[in-house]
Amino acid sequence: MRILLIEDEARIAQAIKRSLMTEHFAVDVVADADSGLSYALSPEYDLIILDRMLPGDIDGLTICRKVRQNKITTPILMLTALGSMTDKLTGLENGADDYMVKPFSMAELIMRTKVLLRRPKSSIGPVVKAGDLEINLETFRVTLKELDVKLSPREFKLLAYLAHNKDKIVSKDSIILHAWDDDADILPNTVEVYIAALRKKFNKVLPGSQRLINTVHGFGYKLGDD
């Protein structure tokens, strides 16, 4: 899953990014409002974490409002030092889905992030099942008929993105956007290598289960029940 963090305080931004990456999210960081709006209008993000007071010609409220005016439904978590009830209501009225006040607990931020990421797709809970495969998106445990499948962090990111789009075809470019950070230089055949590695690990634990990840030639990949 790919998160956009719009935060001008470098120390806070890097701390949040490190924590989110530990939870297997890909994170893009933007430090000013004008660039933040440009990034936020992209449909490629699964969540936006947004400060209210930012350098630039606009503020976080304007970013939030313009995102919604452009019919983009990406969940927005507003993270700011402005903590009065009026401030919170204003943030929510302008399109934010949640509102946190600085200073904040990183554990709470991670939990709220996970909750928001479950909202847009009501069919997706913390556990996704595909045939004999079970993926726990919160504990990062992957099993086949209750047998553990040991994955690298990158393999889990890729599989989690397929799980969030179960039974849908996702392109290589889309996988790269959601499973790698923006500063990574990734070629499309890198995705093929990781898909092959996942299939190999599945088949080693439960022969035949590599067929759970289907190749749709010319389009991409799909996680299904067979």
Side-chain angles (χ1 to χ4, degrees):
M1 306 299 284
R2 195 169 196 85
I3 294 174
L4 173 62
L5 171 60
I6 307 175
E7 169 62 63
D8 65 310
E9 295 185 51
R11 181 180 57 82
I12 293 176
Q14 290 307 309
I16 293 173
K17 181 174 182 176
R18 285 195 300 269
S19 296
L20 290 173
M21 290 178 67
T22 300
E23 297 292 326
H24 305 291
F25 296 114
V27 185
D28 295 341
V29 179
V30 181
D32 67 277
D34 301 286
S35 299
L37 175 60
S38 178
Y39 276 71
L41 292 176
S42 166
E44 298 296 342
Y45 291 103
D46 301 293
L47 175 73
I48 298 169
I49 299 177
L50 172 64
D51 192 3
R52 274 187 63 169
M53 296 181 291
L54 294 162
D57 295 329
I58 57 176
D59 62 3
L61 287 178
T62 304
I63 293 174
C64 196
R65 188 165 58 251
K66 286 184 177 292
V67 166
R68 297 305 183 224
Q69 289 171 349
N70 279 271
K71 309 299 182 185
I72 295 173
T73 60
T74 305
I76 296 175
L77 170 57
M78 195 161 279
L79 183 64
T80 174
L82 300 175
S84 72
M85 182 56 66
T86 299
D87 290 325
K88 293 178 182 179
L89 292 175
T90 300
L92 296 172
E93 287 171 353
N94 278 271
D97 297 277
D98 199 356
Y99 196 104
M100 285 188 69
V101 179
K102 300 175 183 177
F104 60 93
S105 159
M106 193 65 74
E108 182 181 359
L109 176 65
I110 296 298
M111 182 55 64
R112 292 198 188 200
T113 294
K114 291 180 178 180
V115 169
L116 285 173
L117 284 168
R118 292 203 298 265
R119 286 185 187 176
K121 300 172 183 176
S122 59
S123 61
I124 295 293
V127 177
V128 178
K129 296 182 180 180
D132 295 316
L133 178 68
E134 187 170 296
I135 307 159
N136 192 308
L137 300 171
E138 293 188 347
T139 65
F140 316 126
R141 188 184 182 201
V142 178
T143 60
L144 282 162
K145 283 195 171 179
E146 299 184 355
L147 298 173
D148 285 320
V149 182
K150 300 299 183 183
L151 301 181
S152 70
R154 186 71 61 197
E155 289 167 344
F156 183 86
K157 282 185 179 181
L158 196 160
L159 182 61
Y161 182 61
L162 292 176
H164 274 274
N165 293 278
K166 184 174 177 285
D167 295 320
K168 297 180 181 178
I169 300 170
V170 292
S171 69
K172 291 179 183 178
D173 287 342
S174 183
I175 290 172
I176 290 171
L177 277 170
H178 289 81
W180 277 269
D181 293 318
D182 61 340
D183 55 355
D185 186 14
I186 303 299
L187 298 174
N189 64 352
T190 304
V191 176
E192 296 174 14
V193 171
Y194 275 88
I195 292 290
L198 283 171
R199 287 171 170 160
K200 184 176 181 180
K201 288 186 176 182
F202 288 175
N203 192 59
K204 184 177 180 180
V205 173
L206 186 65
S209 57
Q210 75 274 10
R211 293 192 296 270
L212 290 167
I213 301 178
N214 304 296
T215 299
V216 183
H217 294 288
F219 294 95
Y221 301 96
K222 180 177 72 170
L223 181 68
D225 291 317
D226 53 38

